Amino acid sequence: MAPNAPATIDPREAAHFGAMAADWWDPRGSSAMLHKLNPVRLRYIRAAIDQHWPGREQAFRPLDGKRALDVGCGAGLLAEPLARLGAAVTGLDAAPENIAAAKAHAEGQGLSIDYRATPVEAMAEDGFDLVTSMEVIEHVANPAAFLRALAAKLAPGGLMILSTPNRTPLSRLAMITIGESIGGIPKGTHDWGKFLTPEELTALLDEAGLDVTDSSGLSFDPARGFALSTNKAINYLLTARHKS
């Protein structure tokens, strides 16, 4: 991807999330829902890593020697655990406020993470072993172009992991009607019409030269909170790799 390629960032979305930067790391703040989601996402990511690069399932740092790119990193909620798993992490976000918060938090944790307020399309580097983008594609201006940009950064033999809401009546109820009123999601965060079904996202990945190798739903239980599930009606994760 050329450094001057058009960015798929939606400036209104960047401003919305930038306004949340100050309390991103507060588990009771505007990103409270992400804090609840993160442990479940990490379980899925760790299982995907172990399956894709077997032999280090018991290791604390299974990503030692590997490069990871987290696109739409916010203030580092996923980038920091990836660094602790051993990866050399680069985190990109559209909002400079988020990148400033991410850098400050990582420094306080003694973590070295390369954070940049840069569109993925403008990055010169490629060849990342792991590319992640969590709850991001539903906020970009051109999902197909965004996925092509992610695919261009993924090394041969690398692993991509995405998560996003499904476009169903249940997701509208859970994430917008309830979530943005009493559920801890800031109002205006989601546009239900921009949600992608698993079939739509799989087709876009196929067009970008990637095969989906696994997927899982993210469901919510009032008693247990979020959990991995076969039910993808609200939210889902998937893994992909370059076609062989």
Side-chain angles (χ1 to χ4, degrees), residues 34-56:
L34 292 179
H35 283 269
K36 293 182 175 71
L37 273 173
N38 215 40
V40 186
R41 295 194 311 200
L42 285 168
R43 282 198 290 277
Y44 181 85
I45 290 169
R46 178 62 199 253
I49 289 168
D50 289 343
Q51 183 172 8
H52 194 72
W53 293 292
R56 308 202 67 198

Side-chain angles (χ1 to χ4, degrees), residues 94-154:
E97 302 93 333
N98 288 341
I99 292 300
K103 287 180 176 178
H105 195 274
E107 184 177 348
Q109 299 295 307
L111 294 171
S112 177
I113 298 173
D114 180 7
Y115 283 120
R116 310 179 197 178
T118 304
V120 63
E121 297 84 356
M123 270 192 79
E125 302 97 317
D126 57 16
F128 288 90
D129 302 289
L130 175 66
V131 173
T132 57
S133 190
M134 302 287 149
E135 312 299 311
V136 175
I137 195 168
E138 69 272 19
H139 300 291
V140 305
N142 186 329
F146 179 68
L147 289 175
R148 288 194 297 270
L150 294 185
K153 301 306 173 191
L154 186 65

